[in-house]
Amino acid sequence: MQLNDDNYYSQDANRKYMSYSQYREILSCEARAMAKLDGWEEEPTLARLVGQYVHAGAEGKLEQFQTKHPEMYKRSGDLKSDFVRAEEMLAAIRNDPLMMRALDGEHEVICVTEWEGVLWKAKFDVLNEEKGFITDLKTARSLLYKEWNGRERRYEHFVEHYGYIGQMAIYRELDRIEKGRKEPLDVFMAIVTKESPPNKIVLTFEPIDRLQYELNEIRKNLPHVMTVKNGEVEPVRCENCDYCRETS
């Protein structure tokens, strides 16, 4: 199956390939992840749409995105307040030289390769082979925002809570394997906040040992994740997510 922008997020592609987001979904709630593979769809959230708006603007595809999402506009034709804020976030990115350097390169680059005996797919927000880096663009409430970890009963920074370090670890490894690189590329995370005015930062990941630790964690969890995806075990319900509440 040849992946492209049209079929990357399709059900066929999600069944054939593992992705980091799918890996995280299975760890979060096996039943919900498998239901999504079978066609269950979650309701789109406003926060996600705002994030997609910012991504489209950073990629130079804002006009196409706006055409596809008339729900962003008031009857008067003006943008709703949340998307006015998204415009402020884009302006903050464009006015920051470091953010612009981190987002300079080829956008929405698809990577397909095998790792640990599993076919993986990934889509890099930015790949700059000449300068040797991969960047992922994120939107956030604030740079200091923390989420509650119910399992460990502690608050943790959103970058850790949502598995973003693991995402960057697997991205650099998949790219290294696909391109046959002797050394992996650098990975950056460009974050812009939804505050007024927006804040922004470019994160690097040092020491590299932390990225290797995250990669080892994915390697350790992958066998069970694949038994769930392949239907070899009954998926476990978390009883907390939107899918479990909807089907309880």
Side-chain angles (χ1 to χ4, degrees), residues 47 49 53 58 84-85 133 140 149 153 177 179 191 205 238:
L49 194 58
Y53 187 100
V84 172
R85 180 64 51 79
F133 66 81
N149 184 326
R153 302 192 62 77
I177 294 170
K179 299 297 175 59
I191 304 172
F205 294 91
C238 74

Side-chain angles (χ1 to χ4, degrees), residues 26 28-32 224 228 233-239 244:
I26 292 174
S28 176
C29 179
E30 296 174 5
R32 182 177 186 270
H224 174 71
V228 174
V233 296
E234 188 71 20
V236 176
R237 295 168 58 91
C238 74
E239 301 300 352
C244 287

Side-chain angles (χ1 to χ4, degrees), residues 60-75:
K61 299 178 180 179
L62 192 55
E63 186 175 339
Q64 301 96 306
F65 185 81
Q66 290 171 329
T67 301
K68 292 180 180 178
H69 294 279
E71 68 271 24
M72 300 185 307
Y73 294 91
K74 302 176 183 177
R75 290 184 179 179

Side-chain angles (χ1 to χ4, degrees), residues 18 23 26-27 30 115-118 120 215-233:
M18 175 58 65
Y23 161 85
I26 292 174
L27 289 183
E30 296 174 5
W115 181 71
E116 294 294 309
V118 175
W120 287 75
L215 199 62
N216 289 338
E217 286 296 295
I218 298 170
R219 183 181 286 112
K220 181 177 69 175
N221 293 327
L222 191 57
H224 174 71
V225 166
M226 291 307 299
T227 62
V228 174
K229 181 174 180 177
N230 293 334
E232 298 170 24
V233 296

